[in-house]
Amino acid sequence: MKTRISKWLRIFVVSVLSATFALVAASCGGGTDNGEKKNDTLVVAYANFSNKFSPYFATTAYDVDVYTLTQVSLLAGDRGGNVVYKGIEGETIPYNGTDYTYYGLGDLTVTQNNDGSVYYDVTIRSGDKQVYFSDGKPLTIKDVVFSMYAYSDVDYDGSTTFYSLPIKGMNEWRTNLSTAVYDKWAGVAGAIKNVIVDQESYEYVAGEGYSEEQFNSFANSVNDLGWYELANDIIGYCALNYASYLSVVNNNEVALGMYVWGFGDYDDEDNFVDLAGDSFTLEGDDVPSVEDYVKSLKAGYDGNFFDAVGVEAANGDLESYIDAVAEDWIATSGRDEMGDANVNSISGITYNEANQSVRIETTKFDAVTVYQLTLSVTPMHYYGDTRLWDPANGSYGFTRGNLDSIREKTTKPLGAGPYKFVDYKGGIVSFEANAKYWEGEPKTKYLKLKEYSADSDKFPALVAGDIDIATPSINKTVCDAIKKINKNGELSLAGDFVATDLVDYNGYGYIGIDANRVSVGNKASEASKNLRKAFATLFAAYREYTVNSYYEDRASVIEYPISNASWAAPQPADNGYAIAFSKDVNGNDIYSPDDKDAEKWAAAKDAAVGYFKAAGYTYDENTDKFTAAPEGAKLEYEVTIPGDGVGDHPTFALLVKVKEVLETVGISLIINDPSDSNELWNGLDAGTIDMWVAAWGGAADPDMYQVYHSDDLTKSNHYHIADSQLDELIMQARSSSDKVYRKGVYKQCLDIILDWAVEIPVYQRKDCTIYSPVRVNMDSITKDTTPYWSYLAEIHLVEMN
C-alpha cells in the first residue's frame, strides 16, 4: 500500500501503519487567541491543509495527521511497521537493541482453516480498561462494526479499500443479492454476452444457460444502455484529452465530445447542431445532453450499435460496454427474484457484545487484511445515528447506500485519540488535550498546527521561536545552517539550539503521467506508451543531476516505483534489475557505463526523438523539430510541481532541463508551480493534470491495489493505468505470506508499470524532523524513530520546558 504525499508527503490511505506520522509541517507559534500559556502549547509547522479532516475522506498527509490526532485504530503497530497482536496487555518487541512495549485498543488472533478460509478475531478493551471517546461516550464493539460497514458501503468513495478484501459475504452485501441469486444471473449474463460478442448481433441463438426471454431481455438492455456507455466513454475521454477546446463549446463537455468526435458543429448562424439535427445555443440550459449524444450516435450509424463501437469507442470496447450494462441487468434481474428479501449483513463480519469482540472471516488468505484492520474506530453516535442501529433489518448506524451523515462531519473530526479537535481558522488547526485518553491525558494541554505555504519558511520560524517542531526538506543549505547555529555543531538530536532527527523515509519522489491525457488514441497502445516513454526517458536522464545538487548524500536515485526501504524493492544484484528508461525504442541500451553527463543527456535526447517518432509525431529532418502531433496527442503538455510558486522542490531543476531540451525539438513543456499545492491535488482528483511531481509514502505492506489496480481508476489511480495482467498480479501477490514469492510477483508488477511509463521513480530521501530544545523537553521525545513510528506516535508524552 502506498500513501500519496504532497511535496514530500501526501497520504491516501487511512492506516496508522502508513507513513502518516512523518510530519510535513508548519505551525503557529507563541501565544494564542485563547490566552494559553506558552509552556502549555506545542506548535508544529505544516503545509496547507485541505480541510478534509475525516478518517473516511482525508486525501492529504496533512489532513490525515489532523484526524489521526483525534482517533484510535482498531489494531496498533510497532516501530517496524508490524501489527501488534496483543495490544490490551501490551506486547514487548525489540528494536535496535532496546525492548519496547506497545499497547493498543485491541488484541488479534488469526486462525487459518483447512478449507482455506481465515478467521481474524479482534477483542477490544472493556471493563476496567474501557476506552472513551473525547466526548465521554464509551467506545464499544458496535462502533467497530459501524466503522467496518461504513467502509464497506456502496456509497463510500474514499481511499481505504477495506471493501476489496475477500471477506465472506462482502459482494452479497454490496449488491444486496444472495450468492446463489447473483451467481445465477451473472452466469446467464455471461453466456448471453459471449453469443452477442461472437456474432455482433442481438439475434437470438439457442444455447445453454439462458432462455429466449432472458436473451432478449439482456439484448434489449445492451441496445438501450450500451449507447449511453459509449457516449459517456467518448465524453469522458474528450474532457480529459481535449480540455483546451472547451472554450470553443462554451465549456460544455457533451458538446465537446460531439465536436471533437465529429457529431456536432456550428452552423452559419453560430448555433451548435448535432448529427441528429438538433440545434443548441450552448447558453444557459440550451445545451446537449448525453441522451442527445446517443441520438446523434444512432443517427450516424443507423442504430447499429456494433458498427458504432467498432469505429467510435474511446477507452472502452464492446465487451467492456456490455459488462457495464450487465451489472445493472444482473442487479435488476436478481432483485426481481429476491422480491422483498434483502441481504442484511456481511456474513463474514460477526460480533459479540458480551465479550466486546468481532470476527472477520475471509474466504482465503490475503496478505493485506491484517493491515486493513488498523482502521480508525469512529463513534457511531457522532458520525452516524444510534437510532439506525438495527442489524436484524440490515441497518448499522447509518442509512444504507447514503453516507451523508459521515460526509457532514468531514471538517470536524471526533474520536478517542490523544487530542480533541477545536477548530480550523486563520490557517491554524487547534486542539485541546483529551482528558479521557486511554493512554493518559497528554502532557501538553494545547496543540496547534499552522500552515506555512513555503517549505523554506519553516526552519527560520523555528529559529525565531515561532514554532517548536517542523519537518523541512533537508537540503545542504538547511544542514549547514543547523550545524552553524548549534554551538556544538551537531546535526542530531544532541543539537543544543536545533535538534535534528534524520530517518530513512519509507517513500520516494516520482514524476507521474496520466495515461488518459498523454496518449495517442488508446492509452494502452504501443504508440501511447512510446509517447510517454519519450518524456520518461528525458526525465530519467536528469535525475542524478537534480538529486545530487539538492540533497547531496541525503538522498539517492531509485530505479523502480517503490521505496528502497521496502522488502519488496528490487536490488541491483537481483535478476532482471535495470536502470529505469535506459533503452531506446528498439530495445537497445541508451548509455554506456563510462558516459559523462553531457553524453548521457545527448543520448537521452536522441532516444526521446525516436520514441516521439514511433508515437506518430511528424518530424522535419531539415529543422530537426516536430511539426505535428498524431490524433489524440499534442505538441504541448503541462507538468505541475508543488514548489511553493518559487521552484522550491528537489525535482524542479530536472523539469527546467527537460523543458529546454524539448524546446529544441519543437515540443513545449509548461511548468506549473502553484503557490498552493492543493491546486495539484484537486487537479489530480478532477483528472485535469497531464504530468505532475509528488512523492509516495509507503506502508509496511507493499500492496499495490490502491494505486495501480484498474478498479480504483476514479479514486487513487491517477495514472489511469488499466492493465488486466497487472490487476491479476496485484491480486496474486495478496494471496501469499511468502515474501520471496511476493517480491517476485511485485517485480513483474513494477516492470508493467514502467512499460506503461506512467511513473518515473526519482529519489529516495531522508526524512528530517527538527525540534527546538529551548522550548521542547527533548527527554520526552520518542526515541528510535522509524518510518512507521515518529514522535506523533507518542504525542501524549511530549512536554514543554
Side-chain angles (χ1 to χ4, degrees):
M1 182 186 300
K2 287 181 180 177
T3 52
R4 187 173 85 193
I5 23 194
S6 146
K7 205 149 175 192
W8 336 146
L9 186 65
R10 184 172 188 220
I11 302 279
F12 279 108
V13 175
V14 180
S15 167
V16 294
L17 289 180
S18 67
T20 60
F21 285 155
L23 207 61
V24 188
S27 178
C28 68
T32 69
D33 293 339
N34 296 323
E36 299 96 332
K37 293 180 180 179
K38 176 65 178 177
N39 60 359
D40 280 344
T41 304
L42 175 66
V43 178
V44 185
Y46 263 78
N48 293 324
F49 298 104
S50 298
N51 203 17
K52 295 181 181 179
F53 307 139
S54 169
Y56 295 94
F57 301 112
T59 56
T60 71
Y62 327 120
D63 287 2
V64 169
D65 279 349
V66 170
Y67 86 67
T68 299
L69 288 163
T70 70
Q71 302 294 318
V72 64
S73 296
L74 180 59
L75 298 177
D78 69 2
R79 282 172 169 77
N82 304 300
V83 169
V84 173
Y85 282 66
K86 298 177 181 178
I88 297 177
E89 296 299 330
E91 186 172 353
T92 300
I93 303 171
Y95 180 83
N96 198 25
T98 301
D99 287 342
Y100 291 101
T101 301
Y102 301 90
Y103 298 91
L105 174 63
D107 286 347
L108 170 67
T109 301
V110 180
T111 304
Q112 179 78 55
N113 301 311
N114 291 333
D115 63 356
S117 64
V118 184
Y119 294 154
Y120 297 86
D121 292 298
V122 181
T123 302
I124 64 171
R125 292 172 175 267
S126 61
D128 61 353
K129 292 183 174 64
Q130 179 67 54
V131 173
Y132 294 88
F133 292 111
S134 61
D135 63 357
K137 302 288 181 63
L139 185 158
T140 72
I141 205 66
K142 285 184 178 179
D143 297 298
V144 175
V145 175
F146 160 77
S147 302
M148 289 182 174
Y149 270 87
Y151 284 122
S152 303
D153 196 78
V154 293
D155 191 36
Y156 177 67
D157 57 359
S159 298
T160 300
T161 54
F162 181 81
Y163 61 85
S164 73
L165 297 174
I167 297 175
K168 182 180 178 182
M170 181 63 78
N171 185 61
E172 291 87 335
W173 169 257
R174 288 172 64 83
T175 60
N176 200 18
L177 300 175
S178 69
T179 302
V181 170
Y182 181 87
D183 289 348
K184 169 189 172 181
W185 289 101
V188 171
I192 299 173
K193 183 192 82 169
N194 290 337
V195 174
I196 292 176
V197 171
D198 287 344
Q199 65 179 11
E200 292 196 359
S201 167
Y202 299 127
E203 183 178 351
Y204 170 69
V205 175
E208 293 186 6
Y210 57 86
S211 66
E212 183 173 1
E213 180 182 3
Q214 291 167 345
F215 185 98
N216 291 333
S217 171
F218 185 81
N220 288 336
S221 290
V222 173
N223 193 42
D224 290 340
L225 302 178
W227 291 97
Y228 287 87
E229 295 295 333
L230 173 59
N232 280 315
D233 178 33
I234 298 171
I235 293 168
Y237 180 86
C238 292
L240 287 171
N241 292 279
Y242 295 92
S244 59
Y245 290 96
L246 272 169
S247 59
V248 176
V249 290
N250 204 21
N251 294 314
N252 182 269
E253 291 188 353
V254 175
L256 175 67
M258 290 180 170
Y259 180 77
V260 172
W261 238 244
F263 284 84
D265 206 344
Y266 288 94
D267 62 13
D268 294 338
E269 298 178 357
D270 282 337
N271 288 315
F272 189 81
V273 182
D274 65 23
L275 207 59
D278 294 320
S279 178
F280 308 91
T281 63
L282 299 186
E283 299 287 345
D285 295 331
D286 191 20
V287 295
S289 64
V290 177
E291 188 170 357
D292 291 316
Y293 204 146
V294 168
K295 287 170 58 181
S296 290
L297 284 166
K298 288 182 176 180
Y301 286 89
D302 196 25
N304 190 312
F305 178 64
F306 305 102
D307 287 348
V309 169
V311 176
E312 307 297 345
N315 288 316
D317 56 23
L318 180 59
E319 286 198 50
S320 67
Y321 298 140
I322 294 178
D323 285 341
V325 172
E327 285 302 314
D328 288 336
W329 186 81
I330 292 168
T332 300
S333 302
R335 286 308 310 162
D336 289 343
E337 181 170 335
M338 294 281 290
D340 294 332
N342 289 297
V343 176
N344 287 327
S345 69
I346 301 171
S347 58
I349 299 179
T350 54
Y351 66 97
N352 186 317
E353 285 192 76
N355 64 7
Q356 291 293 288
S357 65
V358 62
R359 167 173 287 181
I360 296 90
E361 179 183 354
T362 59
T363 57
K364 60 182 179 180
F365 176 83
D366 188 296
V368 305
T369 299
V370 68
Y371 297 103
Q372 288 281 2
L373 295 181
T374 64
L375 55 81
S376 294
V377 178
T378 59
M380 174 171 58
H381 69 269
Y382 180 74
Y383 285 98
D385 187 340
T386 55
R387 295 171 298 180
L388 296 178
W389 179 265
D390 184 11
N393 291 302
S395 185
Y396 294 87
F398 60 93
T399 301
R400 185 173 182 176
N402 186 339
L403 297 182
D404 286 351
S405 65
I406 293 178
R407 290 190 176 90
E408 289 168 0
K409 305 300 193 321
T410 294
T411 61
K412 297 179 179 180
L414 186 147
Y419 280 90
K420 295 190 296 183
F421 175 85
V422 176
D423 59 32
Y424 169 48
K425 58 185 179 182
I428 300 172
V429 183
S430 299
F431 301 86
E432 184 177 349
N434 175 11
K436 295 184 176 296
Y437 184 50
W438 63 277
E439 288 194 277
E441 183 175 359
K443 301 292 186 180
T444 302
K445 187 172 183 179
Y446 301 105
L447 171 65
K448 291 185 177 292
L449 314 181
K450 181 184 177 183
E451 296 173 326
Y452 279 77
S453 295
D455 182 77
S456 58
D457 291 339
K458 296 170 187 174
F459 174 68
L462 186 134
V463 172
D466 294 332
I467 61 173
D468 305 315
I469 302 176
T471 57
S473 181
I474 189 67
N475 54 37
K476 183 179 185 299
T477 301
V478 173
C479 289
D480 290 345
I482 292 174
K483 292 176 182 178
K484 184 176 181 180
I485 203 169
N486 284 330
K487 292 180 180 179
N488 57 13
E490 290 280 345
L491 182 67
S492 70
L493 284 173
D496 48 12
F497 194 78
V498 177
T500 308
D501 190 15
L502 289 173
V503 178
D504 284 334
Y505 181 60
N506 185 19
Y508 63 92
Y510 73 96
I511 300 173
I513 301 179
D514 185 339
N516 280 349
R517 298 182 62 83
V518 185
S519 64
V520 182
N522 184 343
K523 63 184 176 184
S525 69
E526 285 304 311
S528 293
K529 291 179 181 179
N530 286 332
L531 169 56
R532 295 190 292 268
K533 286 176 182 177
F535 288 103
T537 299
L538 286 173
F539 289 145
Y542 287 91
R543 292 176 301 166
E544 284 191 22
Y545 162 78
T546 187
V547 171
N548 291 341
S549 62
Y550 192 93
Y551 284 116
E552 291 188 322
D553 60 350
R554 286 167 291 277
S556 58
V557 171
I558 59 173
E559 306 301 343
Y560 290 88
I562 187 172
S563 169
N564 277 343
S566 172
W567 53 261
Q571 300 301 317
D574 292 347
N575 185 39
Y577 184 91
I579 304 300
F581 304 107
S582 61
K583 294 185 180 298
D584 64 19
V585 70
N586 297 313
N588 300 313
D589 289 335
I590 298 173
Y591 315 118
S592 298
D594 298 327
D595 280 351
K596 304 298 183 182
D597 281 348
E599 296 170 321
K600 181 177 180 181
W601 298 338
K605 175 183 175 180
D606 291 340
V609 168
Y611 277 118
F612 278 121
K613 289 179 178 179
Y617 278 69
T618 302
Y619 189 69
D620 186 333
E621 299 291 347
N622 294 321
T623 62
D624 290 329
K625 288 188 176 183
F626 291 100
T627 58
E631 183 69 27
K634 301 180 293 184
L635 286 172
E636 177 181 285
Y637 286 95
E638 181 176 275
V639 58
T640 302
I641 181 170
D644 298 331
V646 293
D648 185 14
H649 194 288
T651 307
F652 192 84
L654 180 157
L655 298 184
V656 172
K657 286 288 188 180
V658 173
K659 174 184 174 68
E660 293 171 353
V661 173
L662 287 172
E663 285 178 350
T664 66
V665 295
I667 304 291
S668 295
L669 181 68
I670 299 171
I671 301 174
N672 176 26
D673 178 12
S675 59
D676 185 349
S677 60
N678 282 316
E679 180 179 325
L680 169 59
W681 314 130
N682 293 336
L684 286 176
D685 291 338
T688 58
I689 304 292
D690 295 336
M691 308 178 201
W692 67 96
V693 177
W696 285 114
D701 190 89
D703 178 48
M704 297 180 175
Y705 184 91
Q706 180 199 12
V707 179
Y708 303 111
H709 197 285
S710 63
D711 278 355
D712 226 32
L713 284 175
T714 59
K715 297 176 184 176
S716 303
N717 182 353
H718 294 300
Y719 308 109
H720 292 104
I721 183 173
D723 189 291
S724 59
Q725 183 184 3
L726 177 61
D727 289 347
E728 183 179 342
L729 288 169
I730 289 173
M731 302 311 293
Q732 189 177 319
R734 282 183 162 193
S735 67
S736 173
S737 60
D738 184 338
K739 288 187 176 180
V740 174
Y741 167 77
R742 294 184 72 202
K743 180 178 179 178
V745 175
Y746 282 134
K747 173 60 166 59
Q748 296 178 63
C749 292
L750 295 169
D751 286 340
I752 292 173
I753 294 164
L754 291 174
D755 182 56
W756 271 69
V758 292
E759 183 175 352
I760 298 89
V762 180
Y763 61 84
Q764 171 95 42
R765 64 173 176 81
K766 292 278 189 181
D767 197 25
C768 173
T769 302
I770 56 176
Y771 305 87
S772 170
V774 176
R775 295 179 297 279
V776 178
N777 181 347
M778 293 305 295
D779 290 335
S780 69
I781 293 295
T782 299
K783 305 299 186 293
D784 279 336
T785 56
T786 74
Y788 311 103
W789 194 269
S790 78
Y791 76 91
L792 278 177
E794 296 175 320
I795 188 68
H796 61 292
L797 300 178
V798 176
E799 294 183 89
M800 307 302 292
N801 289 325

